[in-house]
Amino acid sequence: MADKTMQIKIIAPDRPFYEGEVTFIEFNTTEGILGIYPKHIPMTVVIAPGVLKIEENGGETKEAALHSGFAEILGDSITILAESVEWPDEIDVKRAEEAKVRAERRIEDDSMDLNRAELALKRSIVRMQLTKRV
């Protein structure tokens, strides 16, 4: 493997989502947005809902909705164990819009689990943002 690339493996519960050599990857964590180039310091992070950006070895950039999980960064390789991740063409926009409305209603209702409702709202917004980019 060249010094300018790193091996990425993204695994979802239902399938291997992505595997290949990349020059850069960016995603949200509970601590903020994390951008990673080859030779990054080793760390493990908790993923927060957001857009996953993958810059492949050749210049092409791919984006996906990455909702939650964990990432292990080892300098020349990254493994993401995603609870939920999807490409833009896999997103049902109408369903995402309906989920957004439901989540907003739950947030307004004080008897509901606020953290769960906010997470559902973030996921629906990420899905809608990603499909509007494509």
Side-chain angles (χ1 to χ4, degrees):
M1 184 172 356
D3 285 345
K4 297 184 181 191
T5 63
M6 57 192 161
Q7 188 68 30
I8 303 297
K9 188 181 287 187
I10 303 170
I11 303 165
D14 59 339
R15 64 185 164 155
F17 182 76
Y18 181 89
E19 188 170 349
E21 286 191 16
V22 302
T23 57
F24 177 75
I25 186 168
E26 180 182 276
F27 53 88
N28 288 4
T29 72
T30 55
E31 302 297 319
I33 297 173
L34 182 61
I36 303 165
Y37 288 100
K39 306 296 181 196
H40 195 282
I41 61 169
M43 60 177 22
T44 302
V45 295
V46 178
I47 295 168
V51 174
L52 166 69
K53 295 179 186 176
I54 302 169
E55 196 170 294
E56 295 182 315
N57 186 24
E60 184 180 347
T61 300
K62 293 185 174 187
E63 293 185 331
L66 178 59
H67 302 294
S68 58
F70 299 90
E72 177 187 50
I73 300 148
L74 297 174
D76 61 351
S77 70
I78 299 173
T79 301
I80 295 176
L81 300 175
E83 289 182 28
S84 178
V85 60
E86 54 200 337
W87 297 113
D89 62 349
E90 297 172 336
I91 296 171
D92 182 338
V93 178
K94 183 175 178 166
R95 186 172 168 212
E97 290 169 349
E98 291 168 353
K100 180 179 179 278
V101 171
R102 281 193 310 273
E104 289 171 337
R105 284 189 198 133
R106 288 182 189 142
I107 289 171
E108 291 173 4
D109 182 3
D110 292 334
S111 65
M112 298 299 289
D113 181 355
L114 185 60
N115 290 334
R116 189 171 159 195
E118 286 176 343
L119 187 58
L121 179 61
K122 288 177 187 176
R123 287 179 175 165
S124 63
I125 289 171
V126 167
R127 285 181 173 117
M128 291 185 331
Q129 286 175 338
L130 189 59
T131 57
K132 289 179 182 173
R133 291 180 186 191
V134 176

